């Protein structure tokens, strides 16, 4: 008798779509993907959508295999004991295995006024609201961007390129991940775009108003629209479901991405914390983690020992408008190097990366199992674990094969 195994994937982002597609290479596996949106959000293009220079949604038919059933809904709770997920709309979807790939969003701001007057940019819904706020504001109204990570830098450059008067408040360093040489390159490009950059501890925002912000040194910076990109967080679904998490609410897993509580639950992407040492939130990590999560499930179905995570980073790429960008090379353990590509070359590589993401997902949809995971020795991940003081040894509860 042929196997019939139900696998539910929660989350239709980069990790979830990759995992769902890859799982269909097993003929006996039925895959259900649950996601609150009916279309795929290409998150790395949200700044383009806000600036009116590009689209950020793709039909699931372009990136998801035909054998994947889509349920447009939100999971309110995971019933691990009963092997089911409770939907917000009512009803339960049962599973034999679960892939937890709920992704990330904007962290709840702790600064007074930020929740009321700040406009975050981590989801399609937030991007729509920010775009509407910009459309409603006069073209001469200043825009204040809080946070100078990749999202803050990209939206600041994008809006400045459309003629907006933009101030970027770093609250510390500009592009903290970047090598100093790369940081100088980004600062030069922002200056040429006319972006006012305020960095250092004094640039930390302590209060947000309707018409501007107050900084740590008491200065007020006026602005018609405040964009809030200071931090990302994960949904609290795992916490609400009684599963073990790290301090940020990510699902706690071993190095095979298996939950430390339940061998039938596997995590992937921004919402997972392997060995309590989460990887940098990025599609660069999410896509291979989605593939690894699927392989872990398939290994358990086959009665085999799952392989541990082998994650190697290559770079961080940041767009600086439509004709400029930076491709910051990094060591495999995700430490920035002095080498980088800037200017039009950086923009071209960034665009190749953005297009390549969709090609990877579509390729796996058309030929499940075709996406190639890293086969290099796990030294890079090992160095990350050593820096964090973690052994990466799986919990005894997950060392046993699922029955």
């Amino acid at each position: 008798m042929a196997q019939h195994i139900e696998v539910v994937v929660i989350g239709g982002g980069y990790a979830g779509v990759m995992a769902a597609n890859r799982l269909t290479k097993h003929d006996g596996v039925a895959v259900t993907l649950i996601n609150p949106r009916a279309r795929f959000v290409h998150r790395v293009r949200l700044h383009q959508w806000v600036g009116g220079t590009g689209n950020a949604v793709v039909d699931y038919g372009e990136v998801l295999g035909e054998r994947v059933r889509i349920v447009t809904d939100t999971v309110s709770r995971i019933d691990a004991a009963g092997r089911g997920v409770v939907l917000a709309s009512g009803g339960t979807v049962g599973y034999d295995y679960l892939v937890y790939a709920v992704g990330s969003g904007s962290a709840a701001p702790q600064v007074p006024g930020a929740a009321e007057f700040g406009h975050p940019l981590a989801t399609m819904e937030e991007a729509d609201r920010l775009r509407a706020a910009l459309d409603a504001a006069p073209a001469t109204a200043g825009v204040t961007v809080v946070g100078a990570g990749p999202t803050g830098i990209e939206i600041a450059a994008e809006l400045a390129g459309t003629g907006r008067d933009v101030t970027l408040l770093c609250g510390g360093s500009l592009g903290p991940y970047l090598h100093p040489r790369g940081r100088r390159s980004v600062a030069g490009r922002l200056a040429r775009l006319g972006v006012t950059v305020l960095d250092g501890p004094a640039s930390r925002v302590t209060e947000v108003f309707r018409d501007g912000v107050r900084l740590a040194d008491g200065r007020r910076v006026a602005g018609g629209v405040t964009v809030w990109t200071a931090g990302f967080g994960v949904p609290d679904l795992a916490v609400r479901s009684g599963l073990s998490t790290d301090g940020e609410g990510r699902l706690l897993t071993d190095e095979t991405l298996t939950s430390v509580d339940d061998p039938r639950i596997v995590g992937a992407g921004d919402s997972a914390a392997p060995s309590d040492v989460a990887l940098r939130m990025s599609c660069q990590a999410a896509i291979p983690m989605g593939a690894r999560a699927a392989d872990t499930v398939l290994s358990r179905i086959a009665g085999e020992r799952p392989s541990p995570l082998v994650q190697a980073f290559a770079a961080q790429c940041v767009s600086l408008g439509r004709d400029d960008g930076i491709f910051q090379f990094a060591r495999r353990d995700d430490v920035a190097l002095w080498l980088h590509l800037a200017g039009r070359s950086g923009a071209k590589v960034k665009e190749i990366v953005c297009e390549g993401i969709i090609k990877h997902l579509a390729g796996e949809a058309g030929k499940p199992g075709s996406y190639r995971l890293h086969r290099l020795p796990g030294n890079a991940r090992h160095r990350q674990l050593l820096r964090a003081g973690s052994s990466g040894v799986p919990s005894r509860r997950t060392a046993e094969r699922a029955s």
Side-chain angles (χ1 to χ4, degrees), residues 242-264:
L243 298 169
S244 296
T245 64
D246 71 356
E248 302 299 322
R250 303 178 185 92
L251 180 71
L252 195 58
T253 77
D254 65 14
E255 285 296 295
T256 71
L257 302 183
T258 304
S259 164
V260 299
D261 301 313
D262 189 332
R264 291 183 177 269

Side-chain angles (χ1 to χ4, degrees), residues 55 99 116 134 171 177 236 262 273 277 305 359 381:
N55 198 2
V99 177
E116 183 179 2
L134 290 166
Y177 176 89
D236 64 351
D262 189 332
V277 182
R305 182 183 296 274
K359 290 179 180 178
R381 176 64 180 165

